[in-house]
Amino acid sequence: VDPDVAYFRTRYNLLSDTQKRLLADLGRVCGFRGTSDPPAWLDHHELAAMRDFVVLTVTFSACAVLAHGFYVVLARALITEPALLVCDEPISALDVSIQAQVVNLLLDLQERLGIAYLFISHDLKAVRQVSHDTAVMYLGRIVEQGETEALFATPAHPYTRALVSAIPTPSFVGGGKRERILLPGEPPSPVNVPPGCAFHPRCPFATARCRGEAPSLTTLPDGRQVACHRADEPALKAAA
């Protein structure tokens, strides 16, 4: 028996009856109609994602219910070997102790499978760790986008700056704590977006032009794009 096949068969034997039934359903989705135990598809090398499910399920079956549910959903999504995986708030419902495991798993899968992620999250630490390029949205509109490290290091849009300033940073990193930018007021209703720049009611740099004219995305020298009338002004650059 091929060593790889033997390994997956051993892992398969550790699954519960419920997990085995789920695998059988997934096998039928992939066109395998047999009822053998272990299933015949374990012998097919081309079904790497399917066999990864066996390892994932066994490895994390002792995790909390929500975490286990995430791994099941992830494995189902990988069965068809997609080129793009949409991850909409994938870790928001998980315990903090599990979130790091999930992020590390996503990074490992990306490296091994060459898969691209559309990673949607309010957790900026996770976004920075997972994403190569980042887009920041306010009221449904992109206000800044570009290479992730450049965006986090020197955010150009006032809203991006406020978001980055809210990321917890230990005092010993960089010689001191980052100054928190507190925005006044509350976000407007998405069904009643203010005229001009939607961020102007909360922006400390807003002008009459901002209140009357919606900015378009413009390209900065480093390749990033930002929707702000004043992004290239020295005063705003100094405030970054």
Side-chain angles (χ1 to χ4, degrees), residues 124-125 127-128 134 147-155 164 167:
L124 297 184
K125 298 188 302 299
V127 169
R128 188 172 190 175
T134 298
E147 195 273 329
T148 295
E149 284 306 314
L151 185 147
F152 276 86
T154 55
V164 172
I167 301 175

Side-chain angles (χ1 to χ4, degrees), residues 102-116:
V102 171
V103 170
N104 289 335
L105 174 63
L106 290 174
L107 292 173
D108 178 64
L109 289 172
Q110 185 177 58
E111 181 178 351
R112 292 196 294 115
L113 304 178
I115 193 172

Side-chain angles (χ1 to χ4, degrees), residues 114-125:
I115 193 172
Y117 297 134
L118 176 57
F119 191 86
I120 305 167
S121 178
H122 287 82
D123 188 332
L124 297 184
K125 298 188 302 299

Side-chain angles (χ1 to χ4, degrees), residues 189-205:
S189 169
V191 299
N192 188 25
V193 179
C197 174
F199 186 61
H200 85 257
R202 309 180 70 197
C203 180
F205 306 104

Side-chain angles (χ1 to χ4, degrees), residues 13 28-29 36 45 52 69 71 75 77 79 86 93 100 102 108 110 112 148 151 153 166 173 182 197 207 211 228 232:
N13 291 331
R28 282 191 288 273
V29 170
S36 60
H45 287 279
D52 281 345
Y71 291 112
I79 290 301
V86 178
V102 171
D108 178 64
Q110 185 177 58
R112 292 196 294 115
T148 295
L151 185 147
V173 175
L182 299 177
C197 174
T207 64
R211 290 186 284 272
C228 178
D232 59 349

Side-chain angles (χ1 to χ4, degrees), residues 23-217:
L23 281 171
D25 291 340
L26 294 174
R28 282 191 288 273
V29 170
C30 293
F32 289 90
R33 305 297 178 184
T35 59
S36 60
D37 189 22
W41 52 255
L42 282 179
D43 296 342
H44 290 252
H45 287 279
E46 65 271 17
L47 293 180
M50 195 82 159
R51 298 195 298 180
D52 281 345
F53 177 88
V54 176
V55 178
L56 289 174
T57 304
V58 173
T59 303
F60 299 102
S61 60
C63 293
V65 173
L66 283 175
H68 188 209
F70 169 83
Y71 291 112
V72 171
V73 171
L74 177 60
R76 282 174 165 172
L78 293 175
I79 290 301
T80 57
E81 300 184 358
L84 172 68
L85 191 63
V86 178
C87 304
D88 190 355
E89 296 287 0
I91 63 174
S92 60
L94 302 179
D95 185 85
V96 174
S97 62
I98 304 297
Q99 289 180 356
Q101 297 179 29
V102 171
V103 170
N104 289 335
L105 174 63
L106 290 174
L107 292 173
D108 178 64
L109 289 172
Q110 185 177 58
E111 181 178 351
R112 292 196 294 115
L113 304 178
I115 193 172
Y117 297 134
L118 176 57
F119 191 86
I120 305 167
S121 178
H122 287 82
D123 188 332
L124 297 184
K125 298 188 302 299
V127 169
R128 188 172 190 175
Q129 187 174 356
V130 171
S131 304
H132 298 91
D133 293 278
T134 298
V136 177
M137 301 185 71
Y138 186 77
L139 291 179
R141 300 176 182 175
I142 293 177
V143 296
E144 185 170 356
Q145 66 182 39
E147 195 273 329
T148 295
E149 284 306 314
L151 185 147
F152 276 86
T154 55
H157 194 280
Y159 180 59
T160 310
R161 294 176 188 173
L163 291 179
V164 172
S165 77
I167 301 175
T169 304
S171 59
F172 56 82
V173 175
K177 286 189 175 181
R178 182 192 295 115
E179 182 179 353
R180 175 74 185 275
I181 300 174
L182 299 177
L183 298 175
E186 297 292 333
S189 169
V191 299
N192 188 25
V193 179
C197 174
F199 186 61
H200 85 257
R202 309 180 70 197
C203 180
F205 306 104
T207 64
R209 182 186 181 191
C210 302
R211 290 186 284 272
E213 179 185 342
S216 301
L217 285 170

